[in-house]
Amino acid sequence: MARPRQFDDASLRTAALEDFWTRGFEGASIGDIASASGVGNGSIYAAYGSKLGLFIVVLEAYCRTRVDLVRTAMATEGPAGAAVRALLDAVIDDCATQPGRRGCLMLNSIAEFGERGAEVLELCRATTRDMAAEIELRLATGAGSGTREIRPVHVLGAEILLVAQGLIQASRLHAPADELRAIAGAYADRLALD
């Protein structure tokens, strides 16, 4: 029978998230995570098996927060255009508050792992599908004017998500928040979902 964990798992995961997000998977170290969390290396390996095992758990939790961000924004009252604007604003607000404009852990991980991390990439694919589904659901229940008739809802949902992810990448390149807001506003105006 496995012994119960003798450490604060939430603190460990928070320290791991910060290290992975700031330094990437390759740059992060179990030693630094152990020092930041106060949890011994051996305890980390006993609990998660490997650095990758810890990373997957942390990335999965992070990805859930991204789906929640999209779900919350898309629940904005009013026409679908207001929800899209809320989503893009939420993304920009999140980006602008990140230390060093570090972007999105999920997008960073896709770039870092490429095709060599099947489990990581499948988690990122599933998260992207879930985020797009939240957008599509809102569009299907109140898209507004003619844009929905021009493009199917699933295509429009994917497009909106790609624009949001593009804003994240632009933020990572230190584009000013007011420039990101101008881009987002122009895009939302062209959608004409209000």
Side-chain angles (χ1 to χ4, degrees), residues 11 18 20 31 40 46 52 57 137 163 169 178 192:
S11 294
E18 289 303 311
F20 288 130
L52 181 60
V57 169
L137 178 64
V163 169
Q169 290 302 97
D178 59 339

Side-chain angles (χ1 to χ4, degrees), residues 31-193:
D32 289 340
I33 294 168
S35 293
S37 66
V39 177
N41 290 16
S43 294
I44 294 172
Y45 284 112
Y48 293 97
S50 65
K51 182 168 107 170
L52 181 60
L54 176 59
F55 179 73
I56 294 293
V57 169
V58 167
L59 179 61
E60 187 173 38
Y62 173 84
C63 287
R64 281 193 301 272
T65 70
R66 300 300 85 190
V67 175
D68 290 344
L69 181 142
V70 173
R71 181 180 301 118
T72 299
M74 295 311 290
T76 298
E77 298 274 332
V84 171
R85 289 174 193 280
L87 171 61
L88 299 178
D89 284 344
V91 166
I92 293 166
D93 290 344
D94 184 60
C95 289
T97 61
Q98 291 304 321
R101 296 284 188 100
R102 61 188 174 179
C104 167
L105 179 61
M106 183 184 81
L107 295 178
N108 296 350
S109 299
I110 293 168
E112 183 175 2
F113 278 83
E115 291 300 317
R116 67 182 172 83
E119 190 174 4
V120 170
L121 292 180
E122 185 47 44
L123 175 57
C124 295
R125 279 186 198 103
T127 301
T128 300
R129 284 190 301 266
D130 291 348
M131 290 188 295
E134 292 294 334
I135 296 168
E136 292 166 26
L137 178 64
R138 180 63 166 90
L139 294 175
T141 59
S145 67
T147 302
R148 189 172 64 181
E149 288 78 38
I150 296 168
R151 289 178 293 229
V153 170
H154 74 279
V155 172
L156 186 56
E159 176 187 310
I160 292 165
L161 184 58
L162 284 173
V163 169
Q165 292 173 337
L167 291 169
I168 294 167
Q169 290 302 97
S171 176
R172 191 151 189 222
L173 294 170
H174 298 277
D178 59 339
E179 182 180 315
L180 298 175
R181 289 189 199 291
I183 293 166
Y187 173 72
D189 288 346
R190 279 195 311 276
L191 284 178
L193 295 175

